[in-house]
Amino acid sequence: MTVPPTAQDSDAALIEGSLTDPESFAALFDRYSAMLYRYVSRRLGPEAAEDVVGESFLVAFSKRHRYDLAQWDARPWLFGIATKLVARHHRTEAARYRALRRSPADGPVEGPADRVAAGVTASASRPRLAEALAVLPRRDLDVLLLVAWGDLAYEEVARALGIPVGTVRSRLNRARRKVRAALGDIDPTREEA
């Protein structure tokens, strides 16, 4: 959980300030562009990620006058915008998962024995994971990936997608069950005892 910034450093303060000084909005880009890029890149690949992240900030800038200034953290808002833009690229995302499904598993390079074992198991599961992600309904996939790759809390996902927290919980539970079933009820990140 992140600690709220001071009132003058909050995202809400930056957005409010950008209404009279548009250049101050650039601080939000500096804070969150790398985070959004990682999320979008994992979903669409690096080629499309730069464009989607740039477009996300353009949309955010054009809609900044509608931002709820009571929300000090703009991450959910920005991730919501990016997720909606990713949806427009659903064919690119589906093709990426199909390619991952067909690609050979990469072996780990070096590291402690535990990391190597976990890496081998995770790499071997990659095609099945990609297949599971490819068939998830978009609404479940968005929730799962905002939590897993966007590192958002349930409440933040709810804000990002404009849905109740209970809906986030049920969609996440459903997505996790489907992915776990596709992986043979094995968590590839945990070592079997």
Side-chain angles (χ1 to χ4, degrees), residues 154-155 157-159 161-171:
Y154 293 2
E155 295 78 14
V157 173
R159 277 185 37 219
L161 298 177
I163 59 177
V165 174
T167 303
V168 169
R169 291 181 194 283
S170 64
R171 287 181 184 177

Side-chain angles (χ1 to χ4, degrees), residues 37 63 91 167 173:
Y37 178 82
K63 295 183 178 194
R91 277 180 259 160
T167 303
N173 182 42

Side-chain angles (χ1 to χ4, degrees), residues 107-121 191:
V109 181
E110 288 182 16
D114 292 338
R115 277 193 11 226
V116 171
V120 168
T121 305
E191 197 173 324

